Structure formats: structure tokens, C-alpha cells
Amino acid sequence: MSSSRWRESSRTNISEEQITQLLSTLRQLLPEIPHSHSHKASSAAKVLKQTCNYIKTLHREVDDLSDRLSQLLATIDADSAEAAIIRSLLI
Amino acid sequence: VKNPSSSLKSRFITRFLGALTKTNAEDPISSPSPTRIFQRYRRIKVASNKSMAYSVRSRRIWSRALLSRFRSRRSAFSGRRSSVKTTNCTTSPPPALIKVTIDENKTAKGGLDMQTDELRELVPGGEAMDVCNLLDETAHYIKCLTTQVQVMRKIVDFYHHSK
């Protein structure tokens, strides 16, 4: 299956430069790693790996927050609070 | 000047809060059992992902993939299928270009494809995207996920403090 994707990439002639730029954009979205030297070049493999880990982290956070909300919701009347929340969130 | 990402955020907030209110209205429990709480957790999680996908609408491959997933789940007969258009990979260069090198040992497009396997599974619709689109879609997907998390955190904090 990966061989057919390889063929597709060579057909569309994606330049290395394009990929480098896109990877750079991704790199900027990732959270800072304290002990890494930000001026050092990151390999594509590293950026992809970090990106995957970050997405997994975000999925887990959505999970965890959904869990907390499910417990909090049961004790609150959402209707009256809703308007106030919307206002405070959008400020 | 209207910031597109802030209107995406407010669309998400409106939808998600609406879904939460609905969840509470349909299932008001004073002393919930663990099973009920688990079901609520599932509903809220789906509502969060759905709200974001609907707020992005069909502008992105990943959101279209999620939307068609939701629709086919909902109806036994998945009638109309909208054709999936791949976006042209037009990205403006980032202001500060952080140098990223392609690993020469895992060279050529074949090498990069193998490295993207895991990412393809994480981004909705990723399996069918070419590398260019995959990276572009991933960046947008991450931005939306962080918005989701940010808003949900604020809601949790709000409910937490109003107890």
C-alpha cells in the first residue's frame, strides 16, 4: 500500500522545498520541548513523530475533559449558566 | 477585521454548548450511576468532535472525512455522497522558517511516506491524502484540536467554580 502512495507522490511532483516548509509550519505548532535546542535543525522523522505524539495528547485531553464535564454536568442546570458561559468565553 | 479563527472558535462554542444543554435536558440526573456517567462522557466527546467538524464545515479534507463518518453512522442508508475534492497545496511560507531537514538515509518520497503512516491514522481522511495535503491538513487539524481543548477547559473551570 505504501508503494502506491510513493508512486502518487512522484507523479504529483511534490518538491522537497514544499515539504520542508510544511514541516516547518508543523514544527511551530508543536509545544516547546524544554531541553531541545531550538536552533538545531530537526529531522523530518522527528517532527512527524512529535506531531503524532502531540495529536495523541490532544485526543487524550479531549477525552479527559469530556469525562470531567460528564460528571460536572450532572450537578448543574446548563440552561441558566449557558448564557453566562458564552459571554465569558467570547470575551 | 474579522479573525477567521475566532469566528471558528465562537461557532464551536455555540454548537458545543448547545449540545451540552441538550445532553443535560434529555438526561437530567441528580444522582447518576457510573454507567450513565460513562454514556454522558461518550456523548459529550462525540458532541465535541462533531461540533468542531461542523464548525469547519467542508472546507477541509479532515472535516469532510469526519462529517461523512458521522452521517454514515447516523443513517443506515447513506444516500448522497458528496465528492471529495482535494485542496490545492497552496501554503504561504511561514514568517520564521525553522530549518527542517529531510533525513537523507530515509531518502526519496518512499521514505517520507513510510514515516507518515502513523500520522495518516491520526488525521481523519489521512489515508487518501498525498504528503503535501497531509501535512497541511495536519496543521489545521491540530489548531482545531487545541481550540477544542481550550474551550472545554474553560467550560470545566466555569462549572467547577460555580459549584
Side-chain angles (χ1 to χ4, degrees), chain A residues 62-80:
Chain A
V62 170
D63 240 18
D64 176 60
L65 289 165
S66 301
D67 185 38
R68 289 166 72 183
L69 271 178
S70 70
Q71 303 188 26
L72 285 172
L73 257 195
T75 62
I76 277 282
D77 171 20
D79 269 320
S80 62

Side-chain angles (χ1 to χ4, degrees), chain A residues 5-6 56 59 61 63 76, chain B residues 24 45 110 117-118 153:
Chain A
R5 279 205 293 276
W6 182 85
K56 285 190 226 172
H59 283 164
E61 284 195 60
D63 240 18
I76 277 282
Chain B
N24 219 29
K45 184 173 155 185
D117 276 353
E118 195 189 358
R153 255 199 218 124

Side-chain angles (χ1 to χ4, degrees), chain A residues 1-32 38-91, chain B residues 9-10 13-14 16-18 20-21 23-25 29-30 32 37-38 40-41 44-45 48-49 89-103 106 108-120 122-123 127-133 135-136 138-143 145-146 148-160 162-163:
Chain A
M1 218 183 306
S2 79
S3 59
S4 66
R5 279 205 293 276
W6 182 85
R7 264 181 265 125
E8 192 190 303
S9 312
S10 30
R11 245 199 312 228
T12 51
N13 287 326
I14 299 166
S15 68
E16 298 258 323
E17 203 181 297
Q18 255 188 313
I19 294 186
T20 307
Q21 275 182 7
L22 290 167
L23 284 170
S24 173
T25 307
L26 270 183
R27 180 69 183 86
Q28 289 174 318
L29 288 175
L30 300 175
E32 286 282 324
S38 49
H39 59 272
K40 215 160 91 177
S42 317
S43 73
K46 255 198 189 161
V47 174
L48 288 174
K49 188 67 194 160
Q50 285 168 0
T51 302
C52 289
N53 288 337
Y54 188 43
I55 292 180
K56 285 190 226 172
T57 303
L58 290 170
H59 283 164
R60 274 199 301 270
E61 284 195 60
V62 170
D63 240 18
D64 176 60
L65 289 165
S66 301
D67 185 38
R68 289 166 72 183
L69 271 178
S70 70
Q71 303 188 26
L72 285 172
L73 257 195
T75 62
I76 277 282
D77 171 20
D79 269 320
S80 62
E82 192 186 349
I85 299 173
I86 296 178
R87 256 179 267 124
S88 69
L89 285 177
L90 291 180
I91 282 172
Chain B
K9 186 173 166 184
S10 54
I13 291 173
T14 309
F16 183 55
L17 282 176
L20 286 180
T21 312
T23 306
N24 219 29
I29 339 160
S30 45
I37 291 194
F38 181 76
R40 277 172 160 250
Y41 145 73
I44 291 173
K45 184 173 155 185
S48 177
N49 292 327
C89 208
T90 49
T91 51
S92 51
L97 195 70
I98 297 175
K99 194 153 189 289
V100 178
T101 57
I102 310 280
D103 191 338
K106 299 191 177 95
K109 309 285 170 24
L112 193 60
D113 275 342
M114 286 192 290
Q115 294 166 46
T116 58
D117 276 353
E118 195 189 358
L119 186 58
R120 288 178 189 281
L122 290 169
V123 177
E127 325 78 35
M129 297 179 200
D130 64 48
V131 174
C132 196
N133 275 316
L135 296 177
D136 189 45
T138 300
H140 189 266
Y141 184 55
I142 286 181
K143 284 186 204 161
L145 278 176
T146 50
Q148 255 179 276
V149 167
Q150 196 185 61
V151 171
M152 287 175 85
R153 255 199 218 124
K154 282 199 180 155
I155 297 179
V156 166
D157 285 344
F158 180 91
Y159 278 134
H160 208 61
S162 61
K163 285 180 89 174

